[in-house]
Amino acid sequence: MAVAQGTGLPEDSGRRDAQHNRARVRRQLQEALRDRIGEEDIIAAGPEKRIRVPVKSDRRYRFILDRGAQKGGGAAGPAAGTDPGEETYEVWLDMEEVEEALFQSLDLPRLKPKREIAADSSEIVFDDIERKGPLLDKKATLRENLLRAARLGEDDADWDRDDLRYLTWDEEPRPTTQAVVLLMMDVSASMSAGHKRIARLFFYWTVRFLRRRYTHVEVRFIAHTTQARETTEQEFFNRVESGGTLVSSAYELAQRLQREHYPATDWNVYVLHASDGENFLPDNDRVLDAVVGLMDVCALIGYLQIGARPGGMFMTGPQGKLAAHLRRRPVDGLVIAEVSDDRGIWPALKQFFARDDVEEAVVS
């Protein structure tokens, strides 16, 4: 017996409208969180803390009886200036939901299965919320109940079957992969407190993204001035140093770690470096040589240059900026981003972790 689908009846239209509304709210949440990516209340939030995010209301129109007309009143509209403004309501998210909203559009680019663990596996991906299903989503159900109460202008509303929301999933086959990401930060004297704050914010979200999305990813931390050394994660994010700058020391240490511990036949290798771009001028060619050498074994090298004048033009000191020097020689797989404040952190993350569209961001 054939089953008709997509009849265009009101029930189908309502379901499509609800799906459209959920997608719209999800986009609003993502945009709001990306704008707030550097705020302390998010960075300092523990696993139990919830974040408040404003979302524009989706007003649902319905026909009502015009009692004024029934009593002989005119059909004049409201007086000028009395129309209500745009309505918003607040959505509370825990950190797991914040990270899920932020990271769902990011991936490690050019990630390939490697020789030693190339066995296929499948992954259950909970990718949507529906009105029917086997697994009740308590948070989504509670949120729907609260939103319905807000639309009614009430503090709370009795539970209704329409409040129920269920998780749905797909089973996605994917190869098991392993990767190492080498994070390198300039901690020399030329890096101001503001520069270091942006670098740490960028690396904070990078680490959160990697640990949330991947199980077979190692992260190692390198800090450098005129010398580079491997650090613990805690030292990387908290220790303050100063001194001159030899950027090549960081890339050469990355090369050594890769050769000794992460053969390219078995590992996807990524390098991410953040600096203000100030470097000892004769060292720039040595940096470029190290970058070219690393690209023989790396899936991606990302360089984040931090620092700008208020007008938006990047400073050009007597030593020159490293980003300009790196652009002189096209290197396939090298991605460069430049930021001046917190608002540039999300675009930089998107550049480095594009979904295999990295060619659009690669230096040419």
Side-chain angles (χ1 to χ4, degrees):
M1 176 179 178
V3 178
Q5 295 183 344
T7 62
L9 295 175
E11 180 180 356
D12 295 322
S13 178
R15 186 181 300 111
R16 289 195 300 271
D17 288 345
Q19 291 173 341
H20 174 75
N21 181 54
R22 286 198 299 274
R24 183 187 62 82
V25 170
R26 187 181 297 118
R27 287 194 300 271
Q28 286 191 49
L29 288 173
Q30 291 171 338
E31 291 169 3
L33 289 169
R34 291 165 187 171
D35 289 341
R36 298 176 56 192
I37 202 168
E39 293 185 9
E40 293 297 330
D41 66 334
I42 295 183
I43 299 299
E48 303 301 322
K49 182 168 181 178
R50 302 176 73 207
I51 307 301
R52 184 173 60 186
V53 184
V55 176
K56 294 178 183 178
S57 176
D58 183 31
R59 184 177 299 173
R60 298 183 181 181
Y61 296 93
R62 57 191 176 94
F63 293 103
I64 61 172
L65 177 65
D66 186 350
R67 298 189 182 278
Q70 292 292 327
K71 295 178 181 179
T82 62
D83 285 337
E86 187 175 71
E87 296 180 6
T88 62
Y89 55 88
E90 293 175 337
V91 175
W92 287 87
L93 304 176
D94 59 29
M95 281 307 294
E96 182 176 345
E97 292 170 313
V98 168
E99 292 177 0
E100 180 62 29
L102 283 171
F103 300 152
Q104 63 182 208
S105 62
L106 304 181
D107 270 325
L108 279 173
R110 303 179 176 183
L111 188 65
K112 299 177 181 178
K114 292 297 181 175
R115 183 179 62 190
E116 290 189 351
I117 54 170
D120 286 339
S121 63
S122 61
E123 178 182 8
I124 300 298
V125 179
F126 292 90
D127 57 359
D128 206 352
I129 297 174
E130 297 290 351
R131 291 179 178 270
K132 296 181 180 180
L135 185 58
L136 181 68
D137 188 320
K138 295 179 181 179
K139 291 180 181 177
T141 298
L142 176 60
R143 189 180 302 123
E144 193 66 26
N145 176 264
L146 294 175
L147 292 178
R148 185 165 60 84
R151 288 194 293 267
L152 296 173
E154 301 174 358
D155 293 334
D156 57 66
D158 293 334
W159 292 100
D160 189 278
R161 182 177 294 274
D162 287 339
D163 295 334
L164 299 179
R165 294 294 182 269
Y166 299 86
L167 285 170
T168 61
W169 66 82
D170 290 321
E171 186 171 347
E172 295 184 354
R174 60 174 53 188
T176 304
T177 57
Q178 64 180 3
V180 60
V181 184
L182 305 175
L183 305 182
M184 311 190 308
M185 181 161 55
D186 183 350
V187 292
S188 65
S190 67
M191 288 280 286
S192 68
H195 292 150
K196 290 175 181 176
R197 177 182 177 276
I198 292 175
R200 286 168 179 152
L201 280 171
F202 169 75
F203 285 128
Y204 168 84
W205 287 112
T206 296
V207 172
R208 296 303 303 168
F209 156 66
L210 293 171
R211 289 180 177 160
R212 178 165 184 83
R213 292 293 301 274
Y214 300 97
T215 56
H216 298 288
V217 172
E218 285 192 24
V219 182
R220 298 185 74 159
F221 303 91
I222 296 172
H224 77 86
T225 55
T226 56
Q227 295 180 326
R229 65 184 186 88
E230 188 173 8
T231 73
T232 66
E233 182 173 349
Q234 183 177 8
E235 289 175 328
F236 186 80
F237 284 104
N238 295 287
R239 187 162 178 169
V240 177
E241 298 189 33
S242 63
T245 312
L246 284 177
V247 173
S248 63
S249 64
Y251 285 90
E252 289 167 359
L253 177 55
Q255 284 179 306
R256 186 161 67 251
L257 289 175
Q258 183 274 320
R259 285 195 304 266
E260 294 175 358
H261 303 285
Y262 305 102
T265 53
D266 304 328
W267 291 83
N268 293 275
V269 181
Y270 299 84
V271 174
L272 293 177
H273 177 220
S275 170
D276 63 347
E278 298 291 347
N279 189 36
F280 183 52
L281 187 58
D283 189 56
N284 282 342
D285 285 334
R286 190 169 177 176
V287 173
L288 189 51
D289 289 341
V291 167
V292 172
L294 272 168
M295 278 315 312
D296 289 337
V297 295
C298 286
L300 175 80
I301 295 177
Y303 172 57
L304 180 72
Q305 185 161 285
I306 305 166
R309 294 188 186 278
M313 297 297 292
F314 280 86
M315 293 182 292
T316 55
Q319 295 172 314
K321 288 290 187 176
L322 182 58
H325 193 81
L326 291 175
R327 288 191 173 103
R328 293 177 183 174
R329 189 191 308 180
V331 179
D332 182 35
L334 171 64
V335 178
I336 297 175
E338 296 177 313
V339 302
S340 58
D341 54 36
D342 294 356
R343 291 172 298 177
I345 294 174
W346 173 257
L349 288 167
K350 186 68 176 177
Q351 252 186 292
F352 296 135
F353 300 122
R355 289 182 180 273
D356 278 334
D357 294 326
V358 70
E359 290 80 4
E360 298 178 4
V362 167
V363 177
S364 58

